[in-house]
Amino acid sequence: LGTLRTRFGWPGFRPHQEEVCRAVVEGRDALLVMPTGSVKSLCYQCPGVVRGGTTLVVSPLIALMDDQVGKLKAIGLRAEAIHSGRSREESRAASQAYLRGDLDFLMIAPERLAVPGFPELLARRLPALIAVDEAHCISHWGHDFRPDYRLLGQRLPMLRPAPILALTATATVRVQDDIVVQLGIPEARRFIRGF
């Protein structure tokens, strides 16, 4: 709660956020299904700050990544993004900052994990937490399947033992089951809220 107030300027958690944050801080894998507008991002941002190190965030949306980076920087946190909208020089600088331990958050598009050598670069300095945003994209039964998300199941093990938090606004039970299988987190605690 202290981190929430001092780093994020929030007086308290919204409903259901605290239990998710506690599980992730403790190192548990988790799946969070919570409606849009409920500030799911805080459920990886706050634990990421508490755990220290760098939180790696996988997101399919460039605009969302850039928005999150801007908001994190505005409150004094060190954040960068690597995606197709950034120049090679910007991406290289962000990678070097990650390796030096100079980032609190690094946002990447799932397609980056297909770039030869990039997963190995990330593995040279293990993240403290891995957040998979829009996690329904990994499932063939999700409403927005993205084939590159399937790479996560092969690439994330080399970045462990960081806990994995999968987040999405909508997921049927079938999609929830597929998410935890594809991400290799069968023991993940499931937080299904708001429906």
Side-chain angles (χ1 to χ4, degrees):
L1 195 57
T3 300
L4 185 70
R5 290 173 178 155
T6 59
R7 297 308 299 267
F8 294 92
W10 287 46
F13 287 103
R14 289 188 181 183
H16 311 304
Q17 289 177 329
E18 186 170 8
E19 60 183 351
V20 182
C21 290
R22 287 194 184 284
V24 176
V25 167
E26 292 167 5
R28 299 283 307 271
D29 294 329
L31 168 63
L32 172 60
V33 181
M34 193 181 272
T36 300
S38 53
V39 196
K40 288 187 295 297
S41 58
L42 187 77
C43 294
Y44 69 75
Q45 292 171 355
C46 190
V49 171
V50 172
R51 288 181 61 85
T54 304
T55 296
L56 182 67
V57 183
V58 180
S59 174
L61 304 169
I62 290 175
L64 182 61
M65 278 191 268
D66 289 344
D67 180 63
Q68 293 290 343
V69 167
K71 288 179 177 174
L72 290 166
K73 285 182 172 180
I75 60 170
L77 292 166
R78 303 167 302 168
E80 285 295 340
I82 298 177
H83 54 64
S84 60
R86 306 210 66 196
S87 70
R88 181 169 292 181
E89 292 72 26
E90 289 170 321
S91 295
R92 185 176 294 121
S95 297
Q96 293 305 315
Y98 171 82
L99 289 176
R100 289 192 307 269
D102 290 345
L103 294 180
D104 300 305
F105 295 90
L106 177 62
M107 316 270 175
I108 65 166
E111 291 80 6
R112 292 298 304 182
L113 295 171
V115 175
F118 187 72
E120 292 77 11
L121 178 144
L122 294 175
R124 284 165 47 192
R125 187 177 184 283
L126 296 177
L129 169 62
I130 300 165
V132 180
D133 206 4
E134 308 293 338
H136 63 274
C137 293
I138 201 171
S139 176
H140 279 297
W141 297 290
H143 61 267
D144 191 21
F145 175 61
R146 292 272 292 263
D148 284 296
Y149 261 70
R150 289 287 193 177
L151 292 171
L152 293 173
Q154 304 160 36
R155 305 292 197 260
L156 294 185
M158 71 176 69
L159 304 178
R160 300 282 248 158
I164 294 173
L165 171 62
L167 310 98
T168 182
T170 56
T172 63
V173 173
R174 187 181 198 186
V175 171
Q176 293 169 32
D177 292 343
D178 200 28
I179 289 170
V180 298
V181 167
Q182 294 301 326
L183 290 177
I185 52 172
E187 303 301 316
R189 284 194 61 189
R190 298 192 192 195
F191 298 93
I192 314 303
R193 301 291 179 254
F195 295 98

